[in-house]
Amino acid sequence: MKDDNYADLSLFSALIEGIKPLRQDTHHFKQPVKAKQQFEIKEQQIHADSYFSDTYQPLLPVDGPMRWINTNTDKHELKRLRRGDYSPDLLLDLHGMRQAEAKLELAALIQACVKQNTICCCVMHGYGMGILKQQTPMWLAQHPNVKAFHQAPKEWGGDAALLVLIDIGEQPHRR
């Protein structure tokens, strides 16, 4: 039995003598790891598509400054926002964007506020044709992490901008 194995081994080694092994360095059979940026872009699109609807019409004021407060939020928060007790840590400028781009950026801003524990941000929609000025409050009123928003004071853009109060969860918040 031992001699048969030795004979087979010597025959096999005689057959493969002079053969170079192939290198398999060009094909990767594992799925490529997605870049963090691709993952975040897809996540932003999912958030924008799931939270913001163009057909939903929340009850917003017709006269006076643009303002809205969530039913679960204390009414004094809106007054504090109007007075300027909160200063925005993040700013978003929507000038020159289309509605689809603005939706994605708005979802990304709210997500960034939650990640960075920022409770106040400013969204500058501008005047222009008035499309973003009209749509931005409607989108903000639909998002579950938005506590309230109010027309920004002059130093943050006046009636061409909104100060937004974000719910960052159970983490200790600051003013």
Side-chain angles (χ1 to χ4, degrees), residues 16 22 25 36 40 43 47 55 62 72 74 82-83 88 98-99 102 106 110 117 129 137 150 160 162-163:
I16 64 167
L22 294 176
D25 59 349
K36 186 176 180 181
E40 287 180 352
E43 190 176 354
H47 283 298
T55 58
V62 179
N72 303 335
D74 185 22
R82 177 183 55 84
R83 281 191 309 203
R98 294 183 175 89
Q99 284 188 30
L106 202 56
I110 295 170
N117 296 333
M129 300 293 289
H150 198 282
L162 294 171
L163 284 182

PDB file of all heavy atoms in Angstrom, residues 16 22 25 36 40 43 47 55 62 72 74 82-83 88 98-99 102 106 110 117 129 137 150 160 162-163:
ATOM      1  N   ILE A  16       3.701  17.128 -13.329  1.00  0.00           N
ATOM      2  CA  ILE A  16       3.562  18.577 -13.128  1.00  0.00           C
ATOM      3  C   ILE A  16       4.897  19.296 -13.072  1.00  0.00           C
ATOM      4  O   ILE A  16       4.944  20.493 -12.789  1.00  0.00           O
ATOM      5  CB  ILE A  16       2.744  18.884 -11.851  1.00  0.00           C
ATOM      6  CG1 ILE A  16       3.446  18.395 -10.602  1.00  0.00           C
ATOM      7  CG2 ILE A  16       1.349  18.343 -11.956  1.00  0.00           C
ATOM      8  CD1 ILE A  16       2.850  18.941  -9.345  1.00  0.00           C
ATOM      9  N   LEU A  22      -0.804  29.291 -11.377  1.00  0.00           N
ATOM     10  CA  LEU A  22      -1.530  30.496 -11.785  1.00  0.00           C
ATOM     11  C   LEU A  22      -1.780  31.387 -10.574  1.00  0.00           C
ATOM     12  O   LEU A  22      -2.056  30.906  -9.481  1.00  0.00           O
ATOM     13  CB  LEU A  22      -2.882  30.121 -12.404  1.00  0.00           C
ATOM     14  CG  LEU A  22      -2.842  29.353 -13.717  1.00  0.00           C
ATOM     15  CD1 LEU A  22      -4.250  28.974 -14.128  1.00  0.00           C
ATOM     16  CD2 LEU A  22      -2.188  30.194 -14.794  1.00  0.00           C
ATOM     17  N   ASP A  25      -5.183  36.953  -8.997  1.00  0.00           N
ATOM     18  CA  ASP A  25      -5.160  38.250  -8.324  1.00  0.00           C
ATOM     19  C   ASP A  25      -6.062  39.283  -8.985  1.00  0.00           C
ATOM     20  O   ASP A  25      -6.105  40.428  -8.561  1.00  0.00           O
ATOM     21  CB  ASP A  25      -3.721  38.782  -8.271  1.00  0.00           C
ATOM     22  CG  ASP A  25      -3.109  38.953  -9.634  1.00  0.00           C
ATOM     23  OD1 ASP A  25      -3.690  38.469 -10.625  1.00  0.00           O
ATOM     24  OD2 ASP A  25      -2.056  39.568  -9.718  1.00  0.00           O
ATOM     25  N   LYS A  36     -18.577  54.504   2.655  1.00  0.00           N
ATOM     26  CA  LYS A  36     -19.419  55.147   3.662  1.00  0.00           C
ATOM     27  C   LYS A  36     -20.271  56.237   3.026  1.00  0.00           C
ATOM     28  O   LYS A  36     -21.432  56.418   3.379  1.00  0.00           O
ATOM     29  CB  LYS A  36     -18.537  55.732   4.762  1.00  0.00           C
ATOM     30  CG  LYS A  36     -19.310  56.303   5.917  1.00  0.00           C
ATOM     31  CD  LYS A  36     -18.381  56.784   7.007  1.00  0.00           C
ATOM     32  CE  LYS A  36     -19.186  57.361   8.147  1.00  0.00           C
ATOM     33  NZ  LYS A  36     -18.337  57.867   9.203  1.00  0.00           N
ATOM     34  N   GLU A  40     -24.357  56.616   3.125  1.00  0.00           N
ATOM     35  CA  GLU A  40     -25.022  57.791   3.682  1.00  0.00           C
ATOM     36  C   GLU A  40     -25.950  58.444   2.674  1.00  0.00           C
ATOM     37  O   GLU A  40     -27.031  58.910   3.033  1.00  0.00           O
ATOM     38  CB  GLU A  40     -23.993  58.790   4.193  1.00  0.00           C
ATOM     39  CG  GLU A  40     -23.318  58.333   5.468  1.00  0.00           C
ATOM     40  CD  GLU A  40     -22.291  59.315   5.975  1.00  0.00           C
ATOM     41  OE1 GLU A  40     -21.970  60.295   5.272  1.00  0.00           O
ATOM     42  OE2 GLU A  40     -21.787  59.110   7.097  1.00  0.00           O
ATOM     43  N   GLU A  43     -29.049  56.361   2.512  1.00  0.00           N
ATOM     44  CA  GLU A  43     -29.825  56.543   3.743  1.00  0.00           C
ATOM     45  C   GLU A  43     -30.568  57.880   3.724  1.00  0.00           C
ATOM     46  O   GLU A  43     -31.724  57.963   4.135  1.00  0.00           O
ATOM     47  CB  GLU A  43     -28.888  56.476   4.951  1.00  0.00           C
ATOM     48  CG  GLU A  43     -29.607  56.417   6.269  1.00  0.00           C
ATOM     49  CD  GLU A  43     -28.650  56.244   7.429  1.00  0.00           C
ATOM     50  OE1 GLU A  43     -27.441  56.052   7.211  1.00  0.00           O
ATOM     51  OE2 GLU A  43     -29.138  56.312   8.571  1.00  0.00           O
ATOM     52  N   HIS A  47     -34.629  58.455   3.899  1.00  0.00           N
ATOM     53  CA  HIS A  47     -35.272  59.350   4.861  1.00  0.00           C
ATOM     54  C   HIS A  47     -36.112  60.402   4.154  1.00  0.00           C
ATOM     55  O   HIS A  47     -37.229  60.696   4.586  1.00  0.00           O
ATOM     56  CB  HIS A  47     -34.227  60.033   5.739  1.00  0.00           C
ATOM     57  CG  HIS A  47     -33.667  59.150   6.803  1.00  0.00           C
ATOM     58  ND1 HIS A  47     -34.443  58.616   7.803  1.00  0.00           N
ATOM     59  CD2 HIS A  47     -32.419  58.697   7.025  1.00  0.00           C
ATOM     60  CE1 HIS A  47     -33.689  57.872   8.593  1.00  0.00           C
ATOM     61  NE2 HIS A  47     -32.453  57.896   8.138  1.00  0.00           N
ATOM     62  N   THR A  55     -47.760  66.210  -1.292  1.00  0.00           N
ATOM     63  CA  THR A  55     -49.209  66.366  -1.288  1.00  0.00           C
ATOM     64  C   THR A  55     -49.767  66.681   0.098  1.00  0.00           C
ATOM     65  O   THR A  55     -50.885  67.181   0.200  1.00  0.00           O
ATOM     66  CB  THR A  55     -49.883  65.090  -1.817  1.00  0.00           C
ATOM     67  OG1 THR A  55     -49.484  63.989  -1.008  1.00  0.00           O
ATOM     68  CG2 THR A  55     -49.486  64.835  -3.261  1.00  0.00           C
ATOM     69  N   VAL A  62     -51.538  81.560   7.965  1.00  0.00           N
ATOM     70  CA  VAL A  62     -51.642  82.316   6.720  1.00  0.00           C
ATOM     71  C   VAL A  62     -51.095  83.721   6.922  1.00  0.00           C
ATOM     72  O   VAL A  62     -50.451  84.275   6.032  1.00  0.00           O
ATOM     73  CB  VAL A  62     -53.120  82.373   6.258  1.00  0.00           C
ATOM     74  CG1 VAL A  62     -53.262  83.171   4.982  1.00  0.00           C
ATOM     75  CG2 VAL A  62     -53.657  80.968   6.079  1.00  0.00           C
ATOM     76  N   ASN A  72     -46.709  67.646  20.690  1.00  0.00           N
ATOM     77  CA  ASN A  72     -46.065  67.099  21.887  1.00  0.00           C
ATOM     78  C   ASN A  72     -45.067  68.054  22.520  1.00  0.00           C
ATOM     79  O   ASN A  72     -44.458  67.724  23.526  1.00  0.00           O
ATOM     80  CB  ASN A  72     -45.343  65.796  21.553  1.00  0.00           C
ATOM     81  CG  ASN A  72     -46.271  64.772  20.956  1.00  0.00           C
ATOM     82  OD1 ASN A  72     -47.472  64.801  21.190  1.00  0.00           O
ATOM     83  ND2 ASN A  72     -45.722  63.874  20.171  1.00  0.00           N
ATOM     84  N   ASP A  74     -43.776  71.743  24.215  1.00  0.00           N
ATOM     85  CA  ASP A  74     -44.237  72.847  25.051  1.00  0.00           C
ATOM     86  C   ASP A  74     -44.379  74.112  24.217  1.00  0.00           C
ATOM     87  O   ASP A  74     -43.514  74.444  23.403  1.00  0.00           O
ATOM     88  CB  ASP A  74     -43.225  73.061  26.190  1.00  0.00           C
ATOM     89  CG  ASP A  74     -43.686  74.106  27.182  1.00  0.00           C
ATOM     90  OD1 ASP A  74     -44.904  74.373  27.263  1.00  0.00           O
ATOM     91  OD2 ASP A  74     -42.813  74.647  27.893  1.00  0.00           O
ATOM     92  N   ARG A  82     -38.646  82.174  18.728  1.00  0.00           N
ATOM     93  CA  ARG A  82     -38.937  83.485  18.139  1.00  0.00           C
ATOM     94  C   ARG A  82     -38.069  84.575  18.737  1.00  0.00           C
ATOM     95  O   ARG A  82     -37.570  85.447  18.038  1.00  0.00           O
ATOM     96  CB  ARG A  82     -40.414  83.830  18.334  1.00  0.00           C
ATOM     97  CG  ARG A  82     -40.794  85.211  17.809  1.00  0.00           C
ATOM     98  CD  ARG A  82     -42.240  85.540  18.081  1.00  0.00           C
ATOM     99  NE  ARG A  82     -42.639  85.434  19.463  1.00  0.00           N
ATOM    100  CZ  ARG A  82     -42.485  86.392  20.380  1.00  0.00           C
ATOM    101  NH1 ARG A  82     -41.893  87.521  20.062  1.00  0.00           N
ATOM    102  NH2 ARG A  82     -42.899  86.215  21.622  1.00  0.00           N
ATOM    103  N   ARG A  83     -37.861  84.522  20.059  1.00  0.00           N
ATOM    104  CA  ARG A  83     -37.062  85.549  20.741  1.00  0.00           C
ATOM    105  C   ARG A  83     -35.581  85.452  20.439  1.00  0.00           C
ATOM    106  O   ARG A  83     -34.834  86.392  20.661  1.00  0.00           O
ATOM    107  CB  ARG A  83     -37.242  85.424  22.259  1.00  0.00           C
ATOM    108  CG  ARG A  83     -38.498  86.013  22.774  1.00  0.00           C
ATOM    109  CD  ARG A  83     -38.464  86.084  24.264  1.00  0.00           C
ATOM    110  NE  ARG A  83     -38.095  84.796  24.851  1.00  0.00           N
ATOM    111  CZ  ARG A  83     -38.379  84.415  26.074  1.00  0.00           C
ATOM    112  NH1 ARG A  83     -39.012  85.226  26.860  1.00  0.00           N
ATOM    113  NH2 ARG A  83     -38.014  83.245  26.532  1.00  0.00           N
ATOM    114  N   PRO A  88     -28.600  78.881  16.132  1.00  0.00           N
ATOM    115  CA  PRO A  88     -28.373  77.680  15.310  1.00  0.00           C
ATOM    116  C   PRO A  88     -26.902  77.302  15.231  1.00  0.00           C
ATOM    117  O   PRO A  88     -26.033  78.161  15.093  1.00  0.00           O
ATOM    118  CB  PRO A  88     -28.917  78.076  13.942  1.00  0.00           C
ATOM    119  CG  PRO A  88     -28.889  79.555  13.926  1.00  0.00           C
ATOM    120  CD  PRO A  88     -29.063  80.011  15.336  1.00  0.00           C
ATOM    121  N   ARG A  98     -33.098  72.518  -6.631  1.00  0.00           N
ATOM    122  CA  ARG A  98     -34.415  72.043  -7.052  1.00  0.00           C
ATOM    123  C   ARG A  98     -35.095  71.409  -5.846  1.00  0.00           C
ATOM    124  O   ARG A  98     -34.476  71.161  -4.825  1.00  0.00           O
ATOM    125  CB  ARG A  98     -34.256  71.022  -8.168  1.00  0.00           C
ATOM    126  CG  ARG A  98     -33.693  71.620  -9.433  1.00  0.00           C
ATOM    127  CD  ARG A  98     -33.624  70.553 -10.523  1.00  0.00           C
ATOM    128  NE  ARG A  98     -33.197  71.124 -11.770  1.00  0.00           N
ATOM    129  CZ  ARG A  98     -31.923  71.234 -12.139  1.00  0.00           C
ATOM    130  NH1 ARG A  98     -30.969  70.801 -11.347  1.00  0.00           N
ATOM    131  NH2 ARG A  98     -31.614  71.766 -13.298  1.00  0.00           N
ATOM    132  N   GLN A  99     -36.390  71.114  -5.994  1.00  0.00           N
ATOM    133  CA  GLN A  99     -37.147  70.550  -4.869  1.00  0.00           C
ATOM    134  C   GLN A  99     -36.580  69.213  -4.418  1.00  0.00           C
ATOM    135  O   GLN A  99     -36.470  68.962  -3.214  1.00  0.00           O
ATOM    136  CB  GLN A  99     -38.618  70.377  -5.250  1.00  0.00           C
ATOM    137  CG  GLN A  99     -39.395  71.658  -5.262  1.00  0.00           C
ATOM    138  CD  GLN A  99     -40.874  71.411  -5.452  1.00  0.00           C
ATOM    139  OE1 GLN A  99     -41.386  70.360  -5.036  1.00  0.00           O
ATOM    140  NE2 GLN A  99     -41.561  72.343  -6.058  1.00  0.00           N
ATOM    141  N   ALA A 102     -33.393  69.800  -2.543  1.00  0.00           N
ATOM    142  CA  ALA A 102     -33.671  70.454  -1.261  1.00  0.00           C
ATOM    143  C   ALA A 102     -34.221  69.460  -0.249  1.00  0.00           C
ATOM    144  O   ALA A 102     -33.869  69.507   0.932  1.00  0.00           O
ATOM    145  CB  ALA A 102     -34.654  71.601  -1.468  1.00  0.00           C
ATOM    146  N   LEU A 106     -32.418  68.664   3.246  1.00  0.00           N
ATOM    147  CA  LEU A 106     -33.165  68.891   4.486  1.00  0.00           C
ATOM    148  C   LEU A 106     -33.157  67.636   5.358  1.00  0.00           C
ATOM    149  O   LEU A 106     -32.949  67.719   6.571  1.00  0.00           O
ATOM    150  CB  LEU A 106     -34.592  69.306   4.141  1.00  0.00           C
ATOM    151  CG  LEU A 106     -35.382  70.057   5.184  1.00  0.00           C
ATOM    152  CD1 LEU A 106     -34.641  71.315   5.611  1.00  0.00           C
ATOM    153  CD2 LEU A 106     -36.744  70.422   4.647  1.00  0.00           C
ATOM    154  N   ILE A 110     -31.358  67.330   9.165  1.00  0.00           N
ATOM    155  CA  ILE A 110     -32.021  66.849  10.377  1.00  0.00           C
ATOM    156  C   ILE A 110     -31.277  65.640  10.943  1.00  0.00           C
ATOM    157  O   ILE A 110     -31.067  65.527  12.152  1.00  0.00           O
ATOM    158  CB  ILE A 110     -33.501  66.524  10.089  1.00  0.00           C
ATOM    159  CG1 ILE A 110     -34.236  67.817   9.723  1.00  0.00           C
ATOM    160  CG2 ILE A 110     -34.158  65.857  11.280  1.00  0.00           C
ATOM    161  CD1 ILE A 110     -35.627  67.614   9.190  1.00  0.00           C
ATOM    162  N   ASN A 117     -26.006  66.013  18.119  1.00  0.00           N
ATOM    163  CA  ASN A 117     -26.688  66.548  19.308  1.00  0.00           C
ATOM    164  C   ASN A 117     -26.903  68.054  19.213  1.00  0.00           C
ATOM    165  O   ASN A 117     -26.719  68.783  20.180  1.00  0.00           O
ATOM    166  CB  ASN A 117     -25.927  66.203  20.585  1.00  0.00           C
ATOM    167  CG  ASN A 117     -25.877  64.730  20.834  1.00  0.00           C
ATOM    168  OD1 ASN A 117     -26.767  64.005  20.399  1.00  0.00           O
ATOM    169  ND2 ASN A 117     -24.850  64.271  21.513  1.00  0.00           N
ATOM    170  N   MET A 129     -38.713  82.294  -6.574  1.00  0.00           N
ATOM    171  CA  MET A 129     -40.074  82.118  -7.093  1.00  0.00           C
ATOM    172  C   MET A 129     -41.041  81.753  -5.966  1.00  0.00           C
ATOM    173  O   MET A 129     -42.235  81.655  -6.183  1.00  0.00           O
ATOM    174  CB  MET A 129     -40.091  81.014  -8.152  1.00  0.00           C
ATOM    175  CG  MET A 129     -39.195  81.280  -9.343  1.00  0.00           C
ATOM    176  SD  MET A 129     -39.735  82.665 -10.333  1.00  0.00           S
ATOM    177  CE  MET A 129     -41.183  81.983 -11.076  1.00  0.00           C
ATOM    178  N   PRO A 137     -41.504  74.721   4.850  1.00  0.00           N
ATOM    179  CA  PRO A 137     -42.275  74.519   6.090  1.00  0.00           C
ATOM    180  C   PRO A 137     -43.158  73.270   6.057  1.00  0.00           C
ATOM    181  O   PRO A 137     -43.321  72.598   7.074  1.00  0.00           O
ATOM    182  CB  PRO A 137     -43.137  75.777   6.187  1.00  0.00           C
ATOM    183  CG  PRO A 137     -42.470  76.778   5.339  1.00  0.00           C
ATOM    184  CD  PRO A 137     -41.775  76.035   4.264  1.00  0.00           C
ATOM    185  N   HIS A 150     -39.718  78.485  13.337  1.00  0.00           N
ATOM    186  CA  HIS A 150     -40.206  79.864  13.325  1.00  0.00           C
ATOM    187  C   HIS A 150     -39.370  80.654  12.340  1.00  0.00           C
ATOM    188  O   HIS A 150     -38.205  80.339  12.108  1.00  0.00           O
ATOM    189  CB  HIS A 150     -40.099  80.490  14.728  1.00  0.00           C
ATOM    190  CG  HIS A 150     -40.954  81.703  14.892  1.00  0.00           C
ATOM    191  ND1 HIS A 150     -40.590  82.928  14.386  1.00  0.00           N
ATOM    192  CD2 HIS A 150     -42.148  81.877  15.502  1.00  0.00           C
ATOM    193  CE1 HIS A 150     -41.536  83.810  14.678  1.00  0.00           C
ATOM    194  NE2 HIS A 150     -42.492  83.185  15.356  1.00  0.00           N
ATOM    195  N   ALA A 160     -36.619  85.034   4.907  1.00  0.00           N
ATOM    196  CA  ALA A 160     -36.090  84.127   3.876  1.00  0.00           C
ATOM    197  C   ALA A 160     -35.432  82.912   4.516  1.00  0.00           C
ATOM    198  O   ALA A 160     -34.735  82.159   3.841  1.00  0.00           O
ATOM    199  CB  ALA A 160     -35.091  84.859   2.993  1.00  0.00           C
ATOM    200  N   LEU A 162     -35.676  79.940   8.149  1.00  0.00           N
ATOM    201  CA  LEU A 162     -36.416  79.379   9.280  1.00  0.00           C
ATOM    202  C   LEU A 162     -35.439  78.846  10.313  1.00  0.00           C
ATOM    203  O   LEU A 162     -34.445  78.209   9.962  1.00  0.00           O
ATOM    204  CB  LEU A 162     -37.305  78.211   8.817  1.00  0.00           C
ATOM    205  CG  LEU A 162     -38.456  78.520   7.875  1.00  0.00           C
ATOM    206  CD1 LEU A 162     -39.057  77.225   7.359  1.00  0.00           C
ATOM    207  CD2 LEU A 162     -39.510  79.346   8.576  1.00  0.00           C
ATOM    208  N   LEU A 163     -35.728  79.122  11.591  1.00  0.00           N
ATOM    209  CA  LEU A 163     -34.998  78.472  12.678  1.00  0.00           C
ATOM    210  C   LEU A 163     -35.781  77.222  13.053  1.00  0.00           C
ATOM    211  O   LEU A 163     -36.991  77.276  13.272  1.00  0.00           O
ATOM    212  CB  LEU A 163     -34.881  79.389  13.890  1.00  0.00           C
ATOM    213  CG  LEU A 163     -33.873  80.519  13.811  1.00  0.00           C
ATOM    214  CD1 LEU A 163     -33.846  81.292  15.123  1.00  0.00           C
ATOM    215  CD2 LEU A 163     -32.497  80.006  13.491  1.00  0.00           C
TER     216      LEU A 163
END
